[in-house]
């Protein structure tokens, strides 16, 4: 029986609070103190001890900051005890608000970097490119995912590459890198197979006169592509029925035939949402999981699907090795016909390492790409002139039916600019975090100000989404969707400071699958616009933002969908569209 994930953390917390209580009972043993007084003193000693501990901690941090000529970033303060009102506010924003709400106003008032103390813990938030550069690159050895991050992610990500530090992270990175080191023809075979299936599925539904939830479709496409790429066994999520719009009679049949692929996909999504909620709750989440693991039921569904595949791969490798078909010095070589799992088992046969690494890469290879393609289609619906220009480039470079290859994609400048602009306004991972190992400082944008002090153990939460929309980095039109900014003179802003655009992270932990993702997204968009010449958002079906959002500046006031995020960004309740089929080539 597994120990619930919250229990060890709660016991550790109680142990930290025990010294004053123990001291009271020791004193009562030697002195005649009534039982009622002992109990009252024990209860009173805990908050007194906490107050002393917090005050002493702040005092030490201020002295350490002063010793190196630094100062804390400005503070974002609430009105309730321990800034508990801010914790409640951000939970409400997650449920009902726009991405970045609460932080946007704080940045406008306090600058690119500020300290948000929740329940007396330092939490540094930043959208400053120079601070993010330091965290991800120039001071990389001093910043880790850390034990707090790993604790709430562990029941899903385990010890995979996105949830480890130090030697274990290096091991996973080294194990994974060779498979992403070059473009392989087999990748394009996978893209073609599943994009053609997805487009056929979409065309069939559109010919019924019904709208299609493009987000649901593209999640299926990326899950099928990722599963075949990773372990050579397609989950075949595209084979199940697409959902009908919720305002149609047929919608009653949407859940009639749930397949094993549906169960896997839905369980995996729920598990990710659960661990993301833990992260937003901070130190409170363990108290909500003292007696149960909220990811357990969903991860059982995931594991029941995945573990037999992993077991079969290990058995196949063992048989081939015993038969002398595998040489010891081949472990670093990647063969054209092998899957990612085939490659991994030649590095390790540890079932837990294989399990965790596959799930980590599945999230990276599926959710991020699906989200970006969903937002890409939204922008094509909103800006027909951009769709027309992009389709023109596709038809001139590839034609109306030919399969694109790597050179085609590499040469299509507007397609790359279009994808970059999608990733700028809606990066796949809007928020991320690192923890400082040792005391350090971060650059202060005020040339006359002291550098910002970051105490050891402090998290720095950085928002690529908010950084990508800063007008001082991108110009006054930063909130306008315009792919030409990556082609005209405005590109000089990015050339002057490459760290203002980080859709794939940066530094030693930069995404290994960056080019794979560009290839997959480009391939699908080319196939899509070879088959369809126009598209429209179905706003009567789409879950729209609250009407009052229209009065706000920027994308919050512009966009006609409700953006959300757990680990990655997505559209609430899907992205409902209709598309016009292209005329056959004469």
């Amino acid at each position: 029986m597994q120990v619930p994930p919250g229990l060890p953390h709660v016991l550790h917390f109680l142990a930290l609070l025990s010294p004053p209580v123990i001291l009271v009972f020791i004193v009562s043993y030697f002195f005649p103190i009534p039982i009622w007084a002992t109990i009252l003193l024990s209860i009173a000693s805990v908050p007194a001890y906490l107050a002393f501990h917090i005050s002493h901690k702040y005092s030490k941090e201020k002295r350490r900051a002063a010793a190196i000529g630094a100062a804390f970033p400005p503070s974002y303060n609430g009105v309730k005890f321990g800034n508990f009102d801010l914790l409640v506010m951000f939970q409400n924003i997650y449920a009902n608000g726009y991405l970045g709400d609460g932080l946007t106003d704080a940045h406008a008032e306090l600058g690119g970097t500020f300290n948000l103390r929740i329940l007396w813990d330092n939490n540094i938030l930043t959208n400053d490119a120079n601070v993010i550069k330091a965290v991800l690159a120039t001071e990389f050895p001093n910043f880790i995912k850390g034990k707090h991050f790993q604790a709430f992610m562990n029941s899903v990500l385990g010890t995979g590459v996105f949830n480890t530090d130090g030697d274990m992270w290096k091991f996973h990175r080294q194990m994974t890198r060779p498979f992403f080191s070059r473009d392989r023809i087999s990748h394009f075979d996978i893209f073609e197979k599943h994009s053609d299936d997805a487009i056929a599925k979409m065309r069939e539904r559109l010919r019924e006169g019904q709208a299609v939830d493009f987000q649901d479709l593209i999640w299926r496409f990326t899950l099928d592509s990722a599963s075949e790429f990773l372990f050579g066994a397609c989950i075949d999520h595209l084979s199940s029925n697409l959902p009908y719009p919720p305002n149609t009679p047929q919608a009653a049949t949407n859940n009639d035939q749930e397949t094993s692929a549906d169960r896997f996909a839905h369980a995996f999504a729920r598990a990710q949402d659960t661990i993301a909620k833990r992260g937003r709750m901070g130190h409170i989440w363990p108290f909500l999981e003292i007696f149960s693991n909220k990811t357990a039921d969903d991860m059982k569904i995931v594991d029941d699907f995945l573990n037999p595949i992993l077991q079969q791969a290990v058995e196949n490798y063992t048989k081939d090795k015993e038969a002398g078909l595998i040489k010891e010095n081949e472990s670093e070589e990647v063969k054209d016909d092998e899957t990612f799992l085939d490659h991994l088992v030649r590095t390790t046969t540890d079932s837990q390492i294989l399990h965790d690494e596959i799930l980590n890469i599945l999230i990276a290879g599926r959710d991020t790409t699906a989200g970006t393609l969903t937002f890409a289609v939204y922008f094509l619906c909103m800006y027909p002139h951009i769709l027309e220009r992009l389709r023109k480039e596709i038809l001139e470079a590839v034609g109306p039916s030919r399969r694109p290859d790597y050179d085609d994609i590499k040469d299509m400048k507007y397609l790359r600019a279009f994808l970059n602009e999608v990733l700028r306004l809606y990066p796949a991972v809007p928020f991320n975090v690192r923890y400082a190992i040792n005391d350090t400082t971060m650059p202060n944008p005020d040339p006359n100000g002291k550098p910002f002090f970051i105490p050891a153990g402090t998290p720095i939460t950085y928002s690529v989404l908010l950084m990508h929309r800063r007008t001082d980095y991108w110009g006054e039109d930063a909130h306008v969707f315009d792919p030409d900014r990556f082609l005209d003179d405005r590109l000089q802003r990015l050339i002057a400071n490459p760290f203002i655009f980080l859709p794939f992270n940066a530094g030693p932990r930069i995404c290994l699958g960056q080019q794979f993702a560009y290839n997959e997204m480009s391939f699908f968009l080319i196939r899509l616009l070879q088959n369809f010449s126009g598209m429209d958002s179905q706003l009567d079906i789409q879950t729209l933002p609250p009407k009052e959002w229209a009065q706000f500046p920027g994308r919050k006031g512009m966009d006609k969908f409700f953006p959300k995020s757990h680990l990655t960004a997505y559209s609430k309740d899907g992205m409902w569209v209709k598309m016009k089929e292209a005329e056959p080539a004469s």
Side-chain angles (χ1 to χ4, degrees):
M1 180 179 177
Q2 290 188 336
V3 176
L7 185 58
H9 302 284
V10 171
L11 293 176
H12 176 70
F13 177 74
L14 293 176
L16 292 177
L17 297 181
S18 64
V21 178
I22 294 172
L23 180 62
V24 168
F25 275 91
I26 290 174
V27 171
S28 68
Y29 180 80
F30 291 101
F31 296 93
I33 301 175
I35 294 177
W36 64 266
T38 301
I39 294 173
L40 286 178
L41 283 172
S42 298
I43 295 172
S45 69
V46 172
Y49 175 74
L50 273 176
F52 172 79
H53 175 76
I54 292 167
S55 176
H56 182 59
K57 174 174 173 282
Y58 285 174
S59 178
K60 287 199 303 181
E61 289 174 349
K62 287 180 180 179
R63 289 197 299 271
R64 299 204 308 270
I68 58 175
F72 272 101
S75 293
Y76 182 22
N77 298 314
V79 296
K80 299 292 185 181
F81 190 63
N83 282 339
F84 191 77
D85 56 318
L86 296 182
L87 176 62
V88 173
M89 180 188 78
F90 282 114
Q91 296 304 313
N92 183 60
I93 286 172
Y94 170 75
N96 305 303
Y98 185 77
L99 293 177
D101 271 358
L103 300 179
T104 303
D105 291 341
H107 280 302
E109 177 186 351
L110 302 172
T113 304
F114 61 86
N115 190 4
L116 174 62
R117 284 194 174 113
I118 298 290
L119 302 180
W120 305 282
D121 272 344
N122 294 309
N123 293 274
I124 308 300
L125 290 100
T126 189
N127 65 10
D128 186 320
N130 292 320
V131 174
I132 296 173
K133 178 181 179 180
V135 170
L136 299 182
T138 56
E139 289 199 36
F140 173 79
N142 192 43
F143 285 93
I144 58 175
K145 291 298 183 81
K147 62 181 182 181
H148 296 295
F149 179 91
Q150 291 160 355
F152 62 77
M153 293 289 183
N154 183 69
S155 62
V156 175
L157 298 184
T159 60
V161 68
F162 299 128
N163 201 37
T164 51
D165 296 304
D167 291 340
M168 180 59 77
W169 169 74
K170 291 177 182 177
F171 168 73
H172 279 286
R173 186 85 172 180
Q174 183 178 6
M175 182 171 60
T176 304
R177 180 182 287 110
F179 205 78
F180 292 97
S181 62
R182 61 193 178 96
D183 297 291
R184 306 166 75 220
I185 298 299
S186 59
H187 293 172
F188 283 75
D189 293 338
I190 292 172
F191 300 159
E192 180 178 35
K193 173 185 175 182
H194 298 296
S195 62
D196 287 353
D197 287 347
I199 289 169
K201 199 89 173 178
M202 184 163 52
R203 184 186 290 113
E204 179 184 351
R205 180 56 54 85
L206 291 169
R207 286 177 177 176
E208 296 177 23
Q210 300 284 2
V212 170
D213 179 0
F214 184 82
Q215 179 169 259
D216 175 83
L217 178 94
I218 208 65
W219 273 348
R220 295 164 186 256
F221 161 74
T222 52
L223 185 56
D224 283 357
S225 296
S227 59
E228 185 164 347
F229 160 73
L230 290 174
F231 38 80
C234 175
I235 287 177
D236 210 16
H237 200 196
L238 278 167
S239 66
S240 56
N241 295 330
L242 298 182
Y244 282 95
N247 61 350
T248 62
Q250 297 94 324
T253 67
N254 282 347
N255 297 318
D256 283 356
Q257 296 179 328
E258 188 179 49
T259 66
S260 60
D262 294 328
R263 288 190 291 274
F264 173 89
H266 297 156
F268 197 36
R270 288 192 301 267
Q272 290 178 64
D273 194 50
T274 298
I275 58 176
K277 287 177 180 176
R278 289 174 180 170
R280 288 188 298 274
M281 294 299 292
H283 293 306
I284 293 177
W285 80 263
F287 291 89
L288 305 178
E289 298 191 48
I290 298 175
F291 303 109
S292 65
N293 178 351
K294 291 187 177 181
T295 66
D297 291 342
D298 290 322
M299 288 308 296
K300 183 179 186 306
I301 295 172
V302 171
D303 292 345
D304 286 347
F305 185 93
L306 182 60
N307 286 340
I309 297 172
L310 302 179
Q311 183 179 353
Q312 186 62 53
V314 172
E315 289 176 359
N316 291 343
Y317 170 76
T318 302
K319 290 178 182 177
D320 288 347
K321 189 174 182 180
E322 290 174 351
L325 301 177
I326 296 175
K327 299 176 182 178
E328 293 294 335
N329 60 359
E330 286 183 340
S331 62
E332 288 296 320
E333 299 175 6
V334 180
K335 301 174 182 177
D336 283 333
D337 61 345
E338 74 177 358
T339 67
F340 182 68
L341 181 56
D342 292 334
H343 170 69
L344 291 186
V345 296
R346 291 196 287 115
T347 305
T348 179
T349 55
D350 185 301
S351 60
Q352 192 62 51
I353 292 177
L354 293 173
H355 171 277
D356 294 345
E357 191 64 13
I358 285 288
L359 286 185
N360 277 243
I361 301 300
L362 184 59
I363 291 175
R366 182 242 182 171
D367 293 53
T368 55
T369 302
T372 301
L373 285 172
T374 297
F375 301 136
V377 162
Y378 166 77
F379 284 121
L380 291 175
C381 289
M382 290 295 102
Y383 305 108
H385 66 286
I386 291 177
L387 184 152
E388 183 179 351
R389 181 173 168 187
L390 180 57
R391 188 165 188 269
K392 182 174 183 290
E393 181 184 62
I394 289 169
L395 295 180
E396 289 177 352
V398 187
S401 60
R402 180 172 66 82
R403 161 178 151 164
D405 57 28
Y406 175 72
D407 289 331
D408 293 324
I409 290 172
K410 183 177 65 174
D411 293 339
M412 296 175 69
K413 306 303 182 187
Y414 192 70
L415 174 59
R416 184 60 166 256
F418 170 77
L419 283 171
N420 281 342
E421 184 69 343
V422 174
L423 288 163
R424 185 183 71 85
L425 287 175
Y426 284 103
V429 183
F431 304 93
N432 214 327
V433 66
R434 296 289 188 273
Y435 286 79
I437 299 174
N438 302 305
D439 287 353
T440 188
T441 60
M442 288 289 122
N444 186 337
D446 180 357
N448 299 316
K450 295 180 179 180
F452 292 143
F453 178 66
I454 311 297
T458 298
I460 295 185
T461 298
Y462 60 97
S463 175
V464 172
L465 177 136
L466 297 180
M467 180 179 71
H468 284 180
R469 300 179 180 194
R470 283 183 56 155
T471 55
D472 55 337
Y473 292 158
W474 295 92
E476 291 302 318
D477 65 346
H479 292 274
V480 176
F481 184 83
D482 184 4
D484 278 321
R485 75 175 70 250
F486 287 93
L487 299 172
D488 59 25
D489 291 343
R490 289 172 293 178
L491 184 61
Q492 294 304 315
R493 292 177 177 271
L494 178 58
I495 293 173
N497 188 357
F499 274 82
I500 66 173
F501 183 59
L502 301 179
F504 294 96
N505 221 333
R509 294 190 87 130
I510 192 170
C511 176
L512 286 173
Q514 175 176 341
Q515 191 55 52
F516 179 90
Y518 271 123
N519 288 344
E520 183 176 22
M521 293 186 294
S522 298
F523 191 102
F524 189 90
L525 286 175
I526 291 169
R527 278 306 207 203
L528 185 70
L529 293 182
Q530 284 176 325
N531 284 272
F532 298 97
S533 59
M535 54 188 73
D536 295 293
S537 288
Q538 301 302 291
L539 300 183
D540 58 326
I541 304 172
Q542 186 69 34
T543 296
L544 298 174
K547 292 181 180 179
E548 57 268 24
W549 285 13
Q551 65 183 316
F552 286 88
R555 299 311 309 184
K556 181 176 180 178
M558 296 181 197
D559 286 332
K560 306 301 181 186
F561 75 102
F562 201 133
K564 299 280 288 181
S565 175
H566 38 63
L567 300 184
T568 57
Y570 64 97
S571 173
K572 182 180 180 180
D573 298 329
M575 185 67 69
W576 292 92
V577 300
K578 284 188 175 181
M579 298 188 183
K580 178 184 177 183
E581 288 191 47
E583 296 292 334
S586 56

